[in-house]
Amino acid sequence: MSSMINPAILKRDRLLVLAALATLAAVSWAYTVYLGVQNASMASKMVMPMTVAWSLDDLVFMFVMWATMMFAMMLPSVTPTVMIYGRVRQKREASGRPFAPTMAFVSGYLIAWAGFSLIATMVNWGLHAGGAMTEMMGRVIPVIAGVLLIIAGLFQWTPAKNACLNHCRSPMGFLIQNWRDGFSGAIRMGLHHGAYCLGCCWMLMVLLFVLGVMNLPWVAMLTVVVLAEKTLPYGRQISRILGVILVVWGIALIAGWELVGT
C-alpha cells in the first residue's frame, strides 16, 4: 500500500538530510573562520582608507562573506524545523501527495538570508564610505554602536519579536497550515519561514556592526544566543534578559565606557 513506507528508508532519508545540513554548516563555518583568521594578513584588502571607494570586487567579496556568515550562524537553529518539515513531507508522500523535496525548503530559507546579506553589504558599504567604520570588517564608532545596542535591546521586548520568536519555536502549525506541494512550493515555504526568522533575528545580526563584522568570538556567541532563543525551554526569557543587557550596554557605551571584548 502507498501508505506504508519502509522505516529503514525513512531513517536513511532523515540521516541524509541531517548530513547535508551538517556539511553545509561546516563549510560555511570553515570559510567564516578562515576569513576571521586571515583578517590581519589581508589588511590591504580589509583596512582601506575611507576616501577609497569600494570596487565591484569588494562588494561581491563582502556579500559572499555576509551570506556565508549568515548561513553558518542560522543553519544550526533551523535544523530542528527542517527535520520536522522532513517528517511532515514523508507522511504526506505516504498518503499519495506530490513530492516536496526537503532541500528545496532549505534553499528557500537560505535565499531569505541571502537577501538580508545583500542589504547588510550595502549598509556595510554606506557606513564605511560615510566614515562611521574605519575598516571594511571593523565596527562602527562608539556613539552609533551605543544607539544600535539600545535599539536592539528594546526590539527584544516588542510584539513583533515575540510573534516571530513564537513562530520559530513552534513551526509545526506553520507547516501544516501553509503547506505547498512540489519543488516551487517547498522553496516558497522556506522563504516564508525565513522571513519569520529574519523578523526574529535581524537586529541581533545588526549587532555585528557593533561587535566587529568578523569578530569570531562574537559571531559564535550570537549563534549560541539565536539557538538558545529558539530551542531552549526558557528561550523567551533569555531573549528579554538579553534585551535589558543590550540597553544597559548601549547607555554605558554612549556615556564613554569601552566596548568590552572587542
Side-chain angles (χ1 to χ4, degrees):
M1 295 177 61
S2 61
S3 60
M4 299 297 294
I5 300 180
N6 190 326
I9 295 177
L10 296 179
K11 182 178 180 180
R12 182 203 62 188
D13 288 347
R14 287 194 291 268
L15 289 175
L16 286 174
V17 170
L18 191 59
L21 290 172
T23 300
L24 183 57
V27 171
S28 299
W29 271 108
Y31 184 66
T32 300
V33 171
Y34 168 79
L35 289 181
V37 171
Q38 294 297 317
N39 196 13
S41 63
M42 296 174 67
S44 62
K45 181 74 173 179
M46 307 306 172
V47 188
M48 60 167 62
M50 288 179 288
T51 56
V52 177
W54 285 24
S55 67
L56 179 60
D57 288 344
D58 293 323
L59 287 169
V60 172
F61 173 80
M62 291 299 286
F63 169 72
V64 172
M65 183 277 297
W66 272 101
T68 304
M69 186 164 57
M70 291 302 98
F71 296 170
M73 296 176 73
M74 301 312 301
L75 280 169
S77 65
V78 80
T79 296
T81 300
V82 173
M83 302 311 292
I84 292 172
Y85 174 90
R87 290 198 296 271
V88 175
R89 173 188 63 80
Q90 289 172 339
K91 290 181 180 179
R92 291 178 66 88
E93 290 171 11
S95 63
R97 303 296 181 90
F99 178 71
T102 300
M103 294 313 295
F105 177 84
V106 176
S107 297
Y109 179 84
L110 295 181
I111 288 171
W113 279 101
F116 172 84
S117 300
L118 179 60
I119 296 173
T121 300
M122 300 311 295
V123 171
N124 201 157
W125 167 75
L127 289 171
H128 185 254
M133 295 177 68
T134 57
E135 302 177 17
M136 290 176 67
M137 290 188 179
R139 60 181 187 266
V140 294
I141 59 177
V143 173
I144 296 178
V147 171
L148 289 177
L149 283 167
I150 292 172
I151 294 174
L154 294 175
F155 180 73
Q156 294 293 98
W157 286 80
T158 62
K161 167 73 178 190
N162 190 57
C164 292
L165 182 58
N166 285 341
H167 166 89
C168 292
R169 289 177 59 84
S170 305
M172 179 61 80
F174 164 77
L175 293 175
I176 294 176
Q177 296 174 15
N178 298 276
W179 190 272
R180 297 178 182 273
D181 291 320
F183 185 84
S184 62
I187 291 180
R188 291 170 66 182
M189 288 182 66
L191 278 167
H192 195 170
H193 179 67
Y196 275 107
C197 191
L198 274 169
C200 177
C201 303
W202 73 279
M203 274 306 306
L204 293 178
M205 300 302 107
V206 168
L207 290 181
L208 290 170
F209 289 115
V210 175
L211 305 168
V213 173
M214 281 305 300
N215 190 322
L216 291 178
W218 283 113
V219 169
M221 184 171 293
L222 284 176
T223 303
V224 172
V225 168
V226 169
L227 185 63
E229 279 190 342
K230 293 183 178 181
T231 61
L232 293 185
Y234 298 102
R236 295 180 184 87
Q237 289 82 350
I238 291 173
S239 177
R240 292 178 178 180
I241 292 171
L242 175 62
V244 174
I245 293 172
L246 292 176
V247 170
V248 173
W249 192 357
I251 293 172
L253 191 58
I254 292 175
W257 292 20
E258 291 294 326
L259 189 61
V260 179
T262 59

